[in-house]
Every structure is written in C-alpha cells, then in structure tokens.
Amino acid sequence: MAKQDTDRTTLDLFADERRRGRPKTNPLPREAQLKLNKRNQLKRDRERGLRRIELKVDEQLLSRLNLLAAEQQLSRAELIQAMLLQQLEQQDSN
C-alpha cells in the first residue's frame, strides 16, 4: 500500500524510519506545504473580498514605489491600492 503525502491519519506507516537532524514538525513535504499554504492564503483573501491583479513594471518604477511605500510606512500593495483609489476618485469628480 502506497502512502499518500497528504494523508494525515496514517502517519505511523513509516514511524520506525530514523532520520538525521531536527524532527519534522509537519508531516507533509515542503512542496506540499507550500501548495497548501498558498491555497489557504487565497481562500482567506477571497473571504476578505480581495482579488489578485498582476502588473509588470520596469525596475525604476518598482524602486520608486518601494521607496514611497517605505516613506509612508505602507506595503507596496497598500500604496498601489491607495493610488488607484485616488485616481478613480479624481476621474469620478470630473
């Protein structure tokens, strides 16, 4: 019988295997952990009403955004969101 990586009920199948180093705190391999964490993060974002937007910008613009975000003590995402909202409000008032 093959062991499934995501199987949390039969973790004792290979309990007698000895491995060097720090004991595992999570039974899943790192790749499966990352996939699960990303799925959970996307689920939390959806529940908060957030949607993902991807944008490609040149390196100079990215640097300027990072500096401005640091000056205003915001994350880059928060800064971009504030700038977009400000621009939309200006468009609405015209």
Side-chain angles (χ1 to χ4, degrees), residues 34-90:
L34 293 174
K35 189 180 243 186
L36 182 64
N37 289 344
K38 186 63 173 177
R39 185 180 310 133
N40 290 338
Q41 178 67 51
L42 291 172
K43 183 180 175 185
R44 284 192 304 272
D45 286 348
R46 271 194 306 272
E47 289 170 354
R48 292 174 48 205
L50 300 175
R51 297 291 182 258
R52 183 180 194 94
I53 296 177
E54 291 194 33
L55 176 68
K56 292 183 181 182
V57 297
D58 65 38
E59 202 169 321
Q60 285 182 328
L61 178 56
L62 182 63
S63 296
R64 289 179 63 190
L65 286 169
N66 287 335
L67 286 173
L68 188 56
E71 286 174 8
Q72 296 184 13
Q73 296 180 341
L74 297 171
S75 70
R76 188 173 59 228
E78 291 169 334
L79 174 68
I80 292 171
Q81 183 173 345
M83 293 171 86
L84 287 172
L85 286 171
Q86 182 181 18
Q87 186 65 35
L88 288 173
E89 288 172 3
Q90 285 179 359

